[in-house]
């Protein structure tokens, strides 16, 4: 939700109807997420103490996911091309027209 909150605050006027509709839903979201990151997933946080084998488990998992997960594959068009390999030529043609 954080990217949507930031984009809404940056791009929409305070008087814009969509901004006015979204503000109540965004209330305290950033504070809740920051508190959760600090308490739950930080070093020596609740998640690390409860569900993992030790203090180096976050480092180990980040190394493993670092080799498998790539940021560029999560966005368009790479994500579509990766998921729908049988439609590669169609997706590529559509994206070339759009972009």
């Amino acid at each position: 939700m954080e990217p949507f909150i930031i984009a809404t605050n940056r791009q929409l006027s305070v008087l814009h109807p969509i901004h006015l509709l979204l503000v109540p839903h965004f209330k305290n979201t950033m504070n809740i997420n920051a508190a959760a990151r600090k308490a739950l997933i930080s070093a020596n946080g609740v998640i690390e103490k409860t569900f993992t084998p030790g203090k180096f488990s976050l480092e180990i998992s980040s190394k493993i996911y670092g080799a498998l997960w790539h940021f560029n594959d999560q966005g368009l068009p790479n994500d579509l091309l990766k998921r729908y390999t049988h439609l590669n030529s169609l997706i590529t043609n559509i994206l070339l027209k759009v972009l």
Side-chain angles (χ1 to χ4, degrees):
M1 286 303 298
E2 290 178 5
F4 296 107
I5 295 170
I6 293 168
T8 300
N9 289 332
R10 285 184 181 173
Q11 301 299 324
L12 295 179
S13 166
V14 179
L15 300 176
H16 195 282
I18 294 176
H19 186 275
L20 295 172
L21 288 171
L22 291 176
V23 165
H25 300 285
F26 292 160
K27 185 178 180 181
N28 294 326
T29 300
M30 299 285 276
N31 295 334
I32 292 168
N33 288 352
R37 274 193 301 274
K38 185 177 179 183
L40 296 176
I41 61 173
S42 64
N44 295 324
V46 174
I47 300 293
E48 189 171 278
K49 289 179 182 176
T50 308
F51 299 109
T52 58
K55 68 179 189 175
F56 298 108
S57 61
L58 288 177
E59 264 184 68
I60 294 168
S61 65
S62 67
K63 295 266 187 209
I64 292 169
Y65 282 111
L68 301 174
W69 187 88
H70 302 286
F71 183 76
N72 293 338
D73 291 340
Q74 305 305 310
L76 292 175
N78 294 340
D79 183 40
L80 292 175
L81 295 172
K82 188 175 173 185
R83 287 192 281 161
Y84 303 106
T85 54
H86 60 285
L87 299 174
N88 275 352
S89 61
L90 177 66
I91 293 170
T92 305
N93 290 336
I94 291 171
L95 289 173
L96 286 175
K97 289 177 186 175
V98 172
L99 300 174

XYZ file of all heavy atoms in Angstrom:
788
model
N 0.801 -1.192 0.000
C 0.000 0.000 0.000
C 0.851 1.266 0.000
O 0.390 2.296 -0.447
C -0.914 0.013 1.219
C -2.089 -0.946 1.164
S -3.187 -0.737 -0.237
C -3.802 0.894 -0.016
N 2.050 1.174 0.532
C 2.877 2.371 0.658
C 3.133 3.072 -0.669
O 3.041 4.304 -0.733
C 4.183 2.034 1.363
C 3.970 1.721 2.823
C 5.249 1.327 3.534
O 6.329 1.381 2.922
O 5.152 0.956 4.708
N 3.436 2.341 -1.760
C 3.628 3.053 -3.033
C 2.380 3.809 -3.486
O 2.474 4.892 -4.053
C 3.980 1.943 -4.017
C 4.492 0.836 -3.189
C 3.773 0.925 -1.885
N 1.212 3.246 -3.221
C -0.027 3.918 -3.611
C -0.261 5.171 -2.774
O -0.743 6.182 -3.281
C -1.226 2.968 -3.483
C -1.134 1.801 -4.411
C -0.831 0.548 -3.926
C -1.335 1.961 -5.766
C -0.736 -0.532 -4.780
C -1.241 0.888 -6.633
C -0.937 -0.361 -6.134
N 0.074 5.090 -1.503
C -0.083 6.256 -0.634
C 0.841 7.381 -1.092
O 0.428 8.532 -1.222
C 0.202 5.876 0.833
C -0.834 4.880 1.328
C 0.222 7.115 1.722
C -0.489 4.267 2.665
N 2.080 7.026 -1.354
C 3.059 8.027 -1.778
C 2.660 8.629 -3.127
O 2.684 9.847 -3.307
C 4.466 7.400 -1.835
C 4.915 7.039 -0.419
C 5.459 8.347 -2.504
C 6.146 6.176 -0.367
N 2.253 7.778 -4.075
C 1.858 8.272 -5.389
C 0.614 9.158 -5.301
O 0.534 10.194 -5.971
C 1.591 7.103 -6.329
N -0.342 8.763 -4.464
C -1.549 9.570 -4.300
C -1.210 10.942 -3.740
O -1.693 11.969 -4.230
C -2.547 8.861 -3.367
O -2.900 7.606 -3.946
C -3.796 9.676 -3.161
N -0.372 10.966 -2.732
C -0.007 12.254 -2.123
C 0.817 13.122 -3.050
O 0.719 14.351 -3.005
C 0.735 12.018 -0.808
C -0.180 11.498 0.265
O -1.370 11.774 0.262
N 0.365 10.736 1.184
N 1.612 12.503 -3.910
C 2.448 13.283 -4.818
C 1.702 13.759 -6.058
O 1.958 14.859 -6.554
C 3.652 12.456 -5.279
C 4.710 12.297 -4.236
C 5.898 11.560 -4.810
N 6.923 11.373 -3.796
C 8.008 10.640 -3.979
N 8.200 10.032 -5.129
N 8.886 10.522 -3.018
N 0.815 12.928 -6.576
C 0.236 13.201 -7.886
C -1.159 13.805 -7.873
O -1.529 14.480 -8.822
C 0.208 11.907 -8.715
C 1.567 11.287 -8.921
C 2.515 12.199 -9.670
O 2.122 12.934 -10.559
N 3.782 12.179 -9.296
N -1.939 13.538 -6.830
C -3.311 14.033 -6.819
C -3.443 15.254 -5.917
O -2.862 15.304 -4.837
C -4.274 12.947 -6.327
C -4.418 11.707 -7.209
C -5.368 10.719 -6.577
C -4.888 12.091 -8.592
N -4.244 16.186 -6.369
C -4.528 17.364 -5.563
C -5.303 16.942 -4.314
O -6.031 15.960 -4.320
C -5.371 18.342 -6.374
O -5.930 19.328 -5.545
N -5.148 17.701 -3.252
C -5.860 17.422 -2.006
C -7.367 17.514 -2.224
O -8.144 16.861 -1.528
C -5.397 18.405 -0.907
C -6.131 18.168 0.388
C -3.906 18.292 -0.689
N -7.789 18.274 -3.209
C -9.214 18.445 -3.497
C -9.748 17.449 -4.525
O -10.942 17.440 -4.814
C -9.476 19.865 -3.991
C -9.099 20.975 -2.999
C -9.302 22.330 -3.634
C -9.913 20.841 -1.728
N -8.862 16.617 -5.071
C -9.289 15.635 -6.073
C -10.228 14.618 -5.425
O -9.971 14.143 -4.322
C -8.061 14.930 -6.652
C -8.342 14.176 -7.906
N -8.954 12.950 -7.907
C -8.102 14.495 -9.200
C -9.071 12.524 -9.151
N -8.559 13.451 -9.954
N -11.335 14.262 -6.101
C -12.310 13.337 -5.497
C -11.717 11.971 -5.119
O -12.062 11.415 -4.076
C -13.378 13.173 -6.576
C -13.190 14.292 -7.523
C -11.785 14.765 -7.382
N -10.825 11.447 -5.941
C -10.221 10.151 -5.615
C -9.337 10.278 -4.385
O -9.323 9.393 -3.524
C -9.430 9.604 -6.825
C -10.407 9.281 -7.957
C -8.624 8.379 -6.444
C -9.771 8.838 -9.227
N -8.600 11.363 -4.290
C -7.775 11.593 -3.109
C -8.647 11.645 -1.857
O -8.326 11.041 -0.830
C -6.972 12.884 -3.264
C -5.997 13.129 -2.167
N -6.342 13.736 -0.993
C -4.676 12.830 -2.062
C -5.290 13.813 -0.205
N -4.261 13.272 -0.838
N -9.756 12.350 -1.957
C -10.659 12.462 -0.813
C -11.248 11.112 -0.419
O -11.467 10.840 0.769
C -11.784 13.456 -1.122
C -11.344 14.906 -1.320
C -12.504 15.749 -1.799
C -10.752 15.470 -0.042
N -11.488 10.240 -1.395
C -12.019 8.905 -1.098
C -10.966 7.981 -0.479
O -11.286 7.141 0.354
C -12.572 8.259 -2.366
C -13.876 8.835 -2.896
C -14.185 8.261 -4.269
C -15.008 8.536 -1.933
N -9.715 8.143 -0.890
C -8.666 7.232 -0.437
C -8.069 7.603 0.916
O -7.569 6.731 1.628
C -7.554 7.155 -1.481
C -7.926 6.465 -2.783
C -6.776 6.550 -3.761
C -8.321 5.025 -2.543
N -8.086 8.864 1.262
C -7.435 9.315 2.496
C -7.896 8.537 3.737
O -7.057 8.103 4.528
C -7.606 10.842 2.682
C -7.266 11.281 4.084
C -6.733 11.566 1.693
N -9.183 8.292 3.944
C -9.565 7.520 5.140
C -9.009 6.098 5.147
O -8.717 5.539 6.203
C -11.098 7.485 5.080
C -11.489 8.573 4.174
C -10.350 8.795 3.239
N -8.822 5.520 3.971
C -8.292 4.160 3.895
C -6.780 4.126 4.137
O -6.238 3.107 4.564
C -8.616 3.539 2.544
C -10.079 3.450 2.269
N -10.887 2.520 2.878
C -10.884 4.203 1.482
C -12.127 2.686 2.466
N -12.146 3.706 1.617
N -6.118 5.228 3.838
C -4.673 5.305 4.009
C -4.266 5.755 5.409
O -3.089 5.718 5.752
C -4.066 6.278 3.004
C -4.135 5.824 1.577
C -4.018 6.737 0.546
C -4.297 4.486 1.249
C -4.063 6.335 -0.770
C -4.343 4.072 -0.056
C -4.233 4.997 -1.072
N -5.225 6.178 6.205
C -4.920 6.749 7.513
C -4.133 5.748 8.363
O -4.544 4.607 8.541
C -6.215 7.143 8.226
C -5.985 7.847 9.529
C -7.291 8.261 10.166
C -7.003 8.976 11.481
N -8.222 9.375 12.141
N -3.019 6.170 8.862
C -2.135 5.414 9.759
C -1.480 4.186 9.119
O -0.799 3.441 9.819
C -2.870 4.989 11.037
C -3.251 6.176 11.864
O -2.538 7.171 11.913
N -4.397 6.083 12.516
N -1.681 3.956 7.834
C -1.082 2.784 7.191
C 0.440 2.838 7.249
O 1.087 1.829 7.562
C -1.556 2.676 5.731
O -2.971 2.561 5.724
C -0.953 1.476 5.046
N 1.017 3.980 6.955
C 2.476 4.107 6.973
C 3.024 3.882 8.380
O 4.043 3.218 8.552
C 2.896 5.481 6.445
C 2.488 5.754 5.023
S 3.473 4.899 3.818
C 4.835 6.017 3.687
N 2.343 4.414 9.393
C 2.791 4.228 10.775
C 2.692 2.772 11.199
O 3.584 2.240 11.872
C 1.965 5.103 11.723
C 2.181 6.577 11.462
O 3.222 6.974 10.965
N 1.178 7.377 11.780
N 1.601 2.112 10.817
C 1.416 0.701 11.162
C 2.491 -0.148 10.486
O 3.083 -1.031 11.120
C 0.004 0.235 10.759
C -1.039 0.913 11.639
C -0.117 -1.275 10.846
C -2.461 0.753 11.148
N 2.763 0.111 9.210
C 3.781 -0.657 8.496
C 5.172 -0.434 9.090
O 5.963 -1.372 9.217
C 3.771 -0.304 7.020
C 2.566 -0.856 6.315
O 1.801 -1.633 6.876
N 2.371 -0.444 5.084
N 5.484 0.805 9.451
C 6.796 1.092 10.051
C 6.936 0.396 11.397
O 7.993 -0.184 11.697
C 6.972 2.598 10.209
N 5.889 0.419 12.205
C 5.935 -0.260 13.505
C 6.060 -1.765 13.324
O 6.795 -2.438 14.075
C 4.693 0.075 14.319
N 5.374 -2.314 12.330
C 5.467 -3.755 12.070
C 6.868 -4.142 11.621
O 7.415 -5.159 12.064
C 4.438 -4.165 11.021
N 7.453 -3.332 10.733
C 8.830 -3.627 10.305
C 9.784 -3.590 11.480
O 10.674 -4.430 11.611
C 9.271 -2.626 9.232
C 8.882 -3.002 7.846
C 9.614 -2.160 6.820
N 9.352 -0.741 6.968
C 8.327 -0.104 6.436
N 7.448 -0.770 5.722
N 8.167 1.185 6.613
N 9.597 -2.600 12.351
C 10.500 -2.452 13.493
C 10.334 -3.597 14.495
O 11.316 -4.149 14.995
C 10.229 -1.117 14.182
C 11.186 -0.804 15.295
C 10.897 0.575 15.869
C 11.844 0.884 17.014
N 11.537 2.173 17.636
N 9.104 -3.991 14.770
C 8.857 -4.995 15.807
C 8.920 -6.423 15.287
O 9.394 -7.320 15.992
C 7.494 -4.753 16.445
N 8.452 -6.639 14.064
C 8.299 -8.004 13.591
C 9.489 -8.523 12.793
O 9.985 -9.620 13.066
C 7.035 -8.126 12.737
C 5.720 -7.867 13.452
C 4.574 -7.925 12.462
C 5.511 -8.877 14.558
N 9.918 -7.779 11.799
C 10.904 -8.344 10.880
C 12.299 -7.770 11.024
O 13.161 -8.045 10.208
C 10.430 -8.227 9.419
C 10.241 -6.775 9.020
C 9.167 -9.020 9.192
C 9.934 -6.579 7.561
N 12.550 -6.999 12.038
C 13.896 -6.480 12.258
C 14.774 -7.566 12.874
O 14.293 -8.620 13.263
C 13.841 -5.265 13.183
O 13.368 -5.660 14.450
N 16.057 -7.287 12.937
C 16.967 -8.223 13.593
C 16.545 -8.367 15.052
O 16.237 -7.393 15.724
C 18.399 -7.710 13.504
N 16.472 -9.576 15.520
C 15.998 -9.922 16.863
C 14.529 -9.555 17.072
O 14.080 -9.368 18.193
C 16.849 -9.259 17.956
C 18.262 -9.774 17.951
O 18.486 -10.958 17.696
N 19.217 -8.903 18.190
N 13.779 -9.457 15.987
C 12.352 -9.178 16.069
C 11.566 -10.440 16.379
O 12.115 -11.540 16.525
N 10.272 -10.292 16.473
C 9.397 -11.403 16.845
C 9.491 -12.549 15.845
O 9.584 -13.719 16.244
C 7.932 -10.910 16.958
C 6.984 -12.061 17.194
C 7.815 -9.878 18.064
N 9.478 -12.248 14.577
C 9.530 -13.298 13.555
C 10.838 -14.074 13.662
O 10.845 -15.305 13.633
C 9.374 -12.698 12.138
C 8.052 -11.979 11.982
C 9.545 -13.761 11.065
C 6.822 -12.850 12.034
N 11.929 -13.368 13.808
C 13.222 -14.044 13.884
C 13.344 -14.888 15.142
O 13.880 -15.981 15.111
C 14.357 -13.022 13.819
C 15.718 -13.680 13.664
C 16.797 -12.678 13.380
O 16.947 -12.291 12.219
O 17.475 -12.286 14.345
N 12.815 -14.401 16.230
C 12.905 -15.151 17.481
C 11.970 -16.358 17.517
O 12.286 -17.371 18.127
C 12.573 -14.239 18.666
C 13.633 -13.218 18.961
C 13.206 -12.344 20.119
C 14.234 -11.267 20.406
N 13.789 -10.361 21.462
N 10.835 -16.252 16.857
C 9.818 -17.277 16.977
C 9.873 -18.336 15.884
O 9.794 -19.526 16.174
C 8.415 -16.624 16.946
O 8.378 -15.590 17.924
C 7.334 -17.635 17.247
N 9.999 -17.918 14.643
C 9.806 -18.838 13.527
C 11.079 -19.289 12.833
O 11.000 -20.078 11.898
C 8.903 -18.195 12.474
C 7.542 -17.857 12.994
C 7.174 -16.547 13.200
C 6.643 -18.855 13.294
C 5.920 -16.230 13.672
C 5.388 -18.552 13.767
C 5.021 -17.230 13.963
N 12.214 -18.805 13.220
C 13.426 -19.122 12.486
C 14.438 -19.814 13.390
O 14.388 -19.710 14.607
C 14.042 -17.837 11.907
O 14.305 -16.931 12.976
C 13.106 -17.184 10.925
N 15.375 -20.493 12.775
C 16.328 -21.271 13.555
C 17.412 -20.467 14.271
O 18.074 -20.999 15.139
C 16.956 -22.199 12.526
C 16.780 -21.515 11.228
C 15.522 -20.729 11.347
N 17.620 -19.235 13.910
C 18.680 -18.499 14.591
C 18.815 -17.077 14.112
O 18.060 -16.603 13.267
N 19.813 -16.397 14.645
C 19.949 -14.970 14.349
C 20.464 -14.682 12.942
O 20.371 -13.565 12.481
C 20.828 -14.302 15.391
C 22.279 -14.701 15.374
C 23.027 -13.935 16.434
C 24.512 -14.127 16.307
N 25.241 -13.304 17.250
N 20.996 -15.679 12.262
C 21.507 -15.461 10.910
C 20.529 -15.915 9.836
O 20.848 -15.908 8.656
C 22.845 -16.182 10.726
C 23.909 -15.677 11.643
C 24.347 -16.440 12.710
C 24.454 -14.420 11.461
C 25.314 -15.969 13.571
C 25.432 -13.938 12.316
C 25.862 -14.715 13.378
N 19.322 -16.312 10.224
C 18.382 -16.867 9.256
C 17.925 -15.834 8.225
O 17.720 -16.173 7.066
C 17.182 -17.473 9.961
O 16.520 -16.475 10.691
N 17.758 -14.581 8.625
C 17.361 -13.554 7.654
C 18.469 -13.319 6.630
O 18.199 -13.114 5.453
C 16.996 -12.254 8.360
C 15.676 -12.272 9.129
C 15.470 -10.948 9.847
C 14.517 -12.557 8.221
N 19.704 -13.373 7.095
C 20.824 -13.241 6.163
C 20.853 -14.394 5.182
O 21.057 -14.205 3.981
C 22.148 -13.215 6.933
C 22.675 -11.848 7.206
C 24.028 -11.919 7.869
O 25.000 -12.344 7.212
O 24.106 -11.556 9.046
N 20.661 -15.601 5.691
C 20.676 -16.791 4.844
C 19.547 -16.731 3.821
O 19.761 -16.975 2.632
C 20.566 -18.065 5.712
C 21.807 -18.217 6.570
C 20.354 -19.298 4.842
C 21.678 -19.259 7.666
N 18.342 -16.389 4.278
C 17.215 -16.330 3.345
C 17.395 -15.220 2.318
O 17.014 -15.375 1.159
C 15.894 -16.171 4.092
O 15.856 -14.944 4.763
N 17.986 -14.096 2.705
C 18.215 -13.027 1.730
C 19.234 -13.450 0.682
O 19.117 -13.082 -0.482
C 18.640 -11.740 2.411
O 19.905 -11.879 2.989
N 20.221 -14.228 1.083
C 21.196 -14.737 0.107
C 20.521 -15.691 -0.874
O 20.757 -15.634 -2.076
C 22.340 -15.459 0.817
C 23.186 -14.591 1.677
C 24.366 -14.092 0.926
C 25.254 -13.369 1.936
N 26.001 -12.329 1.327
N 19.663 -16.583 -0.341
C 18.975 -17.548 -1.203
C 18.041 -16.830 -2.159
O 18.054 -17.085 -3.368
C 18.209 -18.577 -0.350
C 19.203 -19.460 0.410
C 17.282 -19.425 -1.210
C 18.566 -20.322 1.477
N 17.205 -15.942 -1.635
C 16.276 -15.226 -2.497
C 16.990 -14.239 -3.404
O 16.499 -13.923 -4.478
C 15.204 -14.512 -1.679
C 14.140 -15.447 -1.197
C 14.011 -15.755 0.149
C 13.262 -16.054 -2.084
C 13.045 -16.632 0.598
C 12.293 -16.928 -1.651
C 12.182 -17.202 -0.314
O 11.222 -18.067 0.114
N 18.141 -13.761 -2.983
C 18.906 -12.853 -3.828
C 19.334 -13.509 -5.126
O 19.431 -12.857 -6.163
N 19.577 -14.806 -5.068
C 19.979 -15.531 -6.268
C 18.772 -15.867 -7.149
O 18.905 -16.005 -8.358
C 20.703 -16.815 -5.874
N 17.592 -16.010 -6.553
C 16.415 -16.450 -7.294
C 15.480 -15.323 -7.698
O 14.811 -15.401 -8.721
C 15.614 -17.452 -6.441
C 16.351 -18.708 -6.002
C 15.495 -19.524 -5.068
C 16.756 -19.519 -7.217
N 15.377 -14.284 -6.885
C 14.400 -13.222 -7.092
C 15.095 -12.002 -7.676
O 16.101 -11.543 -7.152
C 13.740 -12.863 -5.762
C 12.616 -11.898 -5.873
C 11.316 -12.201 -6.093
C 12.681 -10.476 -5.762
N 10.564 -11.057 -6.125
C 11.376 -9.976 -5.931
C 13.701 -9.568 -5.547
C 11.070 -8.633 -5.882
C 13.399 -8.220 -5.507
C 12.096 -7.775 -5.671
N 14.543 -11.482 -8.755
C 15.116 -10.311 -9.409
C 14.042 -9.245 -9.561
O 12.937 -9.528 -10.030
C 15.692 -10.667 -10.777
C 16.751 -11.722 -10.695
N 18.003 -11.461 -10.220
C 16.721 -13.040 -10.985
C 18.717 -12.572 -10.236
N 17.960 -13.554 -10.695
N 14.363 -8.032 -9.189
C 13.408 -6.926 -9.222
C 12.876 -6.676 -10.621
O 11.691 -6.423 -10.813
C 14.063 -5.665 -8.661
C 13.133 -4.492 -8.593
C 12.172 -4.423 -7.598
C 13.220 -3.474 -9.513
C 11.299 -3.353 -7.527
C 12.361 -2.394 -9.450
C 11.395 -2.336 -8.444
N 13.731 -6.767 -11.611
C 13.319 -6.484 -12.988
C 12.259 -7.451 -13.494
O 11.476 -7.112 -14.383
C 14.518 -6.519 -13.926
C 15.475 -5.403 -13.640
O 15.107 -4.392 -13.065
N 16.723 -5.580 -14.027
N 12.224 -8.663 -12.947
C 11.248 -9.652 -13.390
C 9.868 -9.420 -12.803
O 8.911 -10.075 -13.198
C 11.706 -11.071 -13.008
C 12.915 -11.500 -13.803
O 13.168 -10.906 -14.866
O 13.609 -12.425 -13.353
N 9.727 -8.505 -11.861
C 8.451 -8.290 -11.195
C 7.566 -7.277 -11.908
O 6.385 -7.184 -11.633
C 8.677 -7.845 -9.747
C 9.550 -8.778 -8.950
C 9.042 -10.200 -8.952
O 7.886 -10.445 -8.679
N 9.920 -11.140 -9.255
N 8.119 -6.503 -12.805
C 7.351 -5.451 -13.469
C 7.053 -5.797 -14.917
O 7.498 -6.822 -15.448
N 6.293 -4.909 -15.542
C 5.983 -5.093 -16.956
C 7.178 -4.721 -17.796
O 7.922 -3.832 -17.427
C 4.807 -4.206 -17.345
C 3.478 -4.584 -16.720
C 2.444 -3.540 -17.090
C 3.015 -5.942 -17.149
N 7.423 -5.325 -18.904
C 6.744 -6.443 -19.527
C 7.316 -7.798 -19.118
O 6.784 -8.829 -19.476
C 6.971 -6.196 -21.008
C 8.329 -5.578 -21.062
C 8.419 -4.731 -19.811
N 8.410 -7.801 -18.373
C 9.086 -9.063 -18.049
C 8.193 -10.041 -17.300
O 8.246 -11.243 -17.538
C 10.349 -8.796 -17.240
C 11.387 -8.054 -18.031
O 11.336 -8.048 -19.247
N 12.305 -7.396 -17.366
N 7.360 -9.535 -16.391
C 6.480 -10.406 -15.627
C 5.483 -11.115 -16.544
O 5.255 -12.317 -16.420
C 5.748 -9.596 -14.557
C 4.880 -10.459 -13.678
O 5.318 -11.563 -13.322
O 3.762 -10.035 -13.347
N 4.893 -10.366 -17.472
C 3.943 -10.977 -18.402
C 4.629 -11.994 -19.305
O 4.103 -13.077 -19.556
C 3.271 -9.898 -19.252
C 2.335 -8.953 -18.515
C 1.846 -7.870 -19.462
C 1.167 -9.697 -17.920
N 5.793 -11.637 -19.792
C 6.518 -12.555 -20.669
C 6.930 -13.825 -19.938
O 6.923 -14.911 -20.511
C 7.744 -11.856 -21.250
C 7.447 -10.684 -22.186
C 8.740 -9.956 -22.538
C 6.735 -11.152 -23.430
N 7.257 -13.704 -18.675
C 7.671 -14.863 -17.879
C 6.478 -15.787 -17.594
O 6.598 -16.998 -17.646
C 8.293 -14.366 -16.572
C 8.936 -15.418 -15.743
C 9.608 -14.757 -14.539
C 10.133 -15.763 -13.579
N 10.671 -15.137 -12.380
N 5.316 -15.197 -17.279
C 4.144 -16.004 -16.921
C 3.435 -16.583 -18.131
O 2.901 -17.677 -18.074
C 3.159 -15.160 -16.111
C 3.639 -14.910 -14.707
C 2.544 -14.348 -13.868
N 2.374 -12.928 -14.138
C 1.297 -12.238 -13.835
N 0.274 -12.823 -13.274
N 1.224 -10.957 -14.097
N 3.405 -15.843 -19.214
C 2.654 -16.285 -20.389
C 3.603 -16.499 -21.561
O 3.554 -15.792 -22.560
C 1.583 -15.247 -20.745
C 0.641 -14.970 -19.602
C 0.715 -13.788 -18.884
C -0.311 -15.903 -19.229
C -0.144 -13.538 -17.833
C -1.169 -15.667 -18.179
C -1.087 -14.482 -17.486
O -1.933 -14.241 -16.439
N 4.452 -17.484 -21.442
C 5.473 -17.713 -22.461
C 4.861 -18.074 -23.806
O 5.446 -17.791 -24.843
C 6.437 -18.824 -22.027
O 5.685 -19.998 -21.704
C 7.240 -18.406 -20.822
N 3.683 -18.701 -23.801
C 3.051 -19.067 -25.067
C 2.476 -17.849 -25.800
O 2.129 -17.943 -26.971
C 1.953 -20.108 -24.832
C 0.855 -19.636 -23.928
N 1.007 -19.538 -22.559
C -0.401 -19.226 -24.198
C -0.116 -19.087 -22.033
N -0.984 -18.896 -22.999
N 2.410 -16.696 -25.131
C 1.886 -15.479 -25.752
C 2.968 -14.414 -25.939
O 2.666 -13.233 -26.092
C 0.758 -14.897 -24.893
C -0.462 -15.780 -24.674
C -1.409 -15.127 -23.695
C -1.159 -16.059 -25.988
N 4.226 -14.824 -25.933
C 5.338 -13.864 -25.991
C 5.241 -12.907 -27.175
O 5.400 -11.703 -27.013
C 6.674 -14.593 -26.051
C 7.164 -14.946 -24.673
O 6.591 -14.525 -23.682
N 8.207 -15.736 -24.616
N 4.993 -13.421 -28.357
C 4.969 -12.544 -29.531
C 3.802 -11.567 -29.467
O 3.945 -10.397 -29.818
C 4.919 -13.370 -30.812
O 3.740 -14.154 -30.838
N 2.638 -12.029 -29.004
C 1.473 -11.153 -28.881
C 1.723 -10.053 -27.853
O 1.463 -8.876 -28.104
C 0.240 -11.970 -28.494
C -1.044 -11.182 -28.247
C -1.510 -10.532 -29.538
C -2.104 -12.087 -27.677
N 2.244 -10.412 -26.688
C 2.523 -9.435 -25.627
C 3.571 -8.428 -26.100
O 3.428 -7.228 -25.894
C 2.967 -10.145 -24.337
C 1.812 -10.953 -23.751
C 3.491 -9.144 -23.315
C 2.207 -11.865 -22.615
N 4.608 -8.920 -26.752
C 5.666 -8.040 -27.232
C 5.112 -7.035 -28.243
O 5.415 -5.845 -28.177
C 6.800 -8.861 -27.873
O 7.255 -9.821 -26.930
C 7.945 -7.970 -28.294
N 4.271 -7.504 -29.168
C 3.687 -6.602 -30.172
C 2.791 -5.557 -29.519
O 2.835 -4.384 -29.881
C 2.890 -7.388 -31.208
C 3.791 -8.201 -32.103
O 4.969 -7.889 -32.270
N 3.264 -9.269 -32.673
N 1.983 -5.960 -28.562
C 1.096 -5.005 -27.875
C 1.904 -3.975 -27.107
O 1.636 -2.778 -27.171
C 0.125 -5.764 -26.935
C -0.868 -6.575 -27.752
C -0.599 -4.782 -26.008
C -1.714 -7.525 -26.928
N 2.915 -4.433 -26.374
C 3.728 -3.514 -25.577
C 4.526 -2.561 -26.454
O 4.733 -1.404 -26.093
C 4.638 -4.297 -24.643
C 3.915 -4.989 -23.493
C 4.880 -5.880 -22.737
C 3.278 -3.989 -22.560
N 4.981 -3.034 -27.602
C 5.710 -2.145 -28.504
C 4.794 -1.045 -29.042
O 5.221 0.096 -29.230
C 6.315 -2.944 -29.664
C 7.540 -3.793 -29.291
C 7.971 -4.630 -30.490
C 8.676 -2.919 -28.811
N 3.530 -1.369 -29.283
C 2.582 -0.360 -29.753
C 2.272 0.651 -28.666
O 2.154 1.834 -28.927
C 1.293 -1.030 -30.233
C 1.441 -1.790 -31.510
C 0.148 -2.473 -31.885
C 0.348 -3.366 -33.107
N -0.864 -4.129 -33.427
N 2.143 0.162 -27.429
C 1.801 1.038 -26.313
C 2.966 1.927 -25.934
O 2.812 3.121 -25.690
C 1.338 0.208 -25.088
C 1.173 1.088 -23.864
C 0.049 -0.518 -25.407
N 4.151 1.339 -25.856
C 5.320 2.086 -25.412
C 5.924 2.804 -26.597
O 6.453 3.804 -26.600
C 6.361 1.152 -24.786
C 5.858 0.385 -23.554
C 6.921 -0.607 -23.105
C 5.517 1.333 -22.428
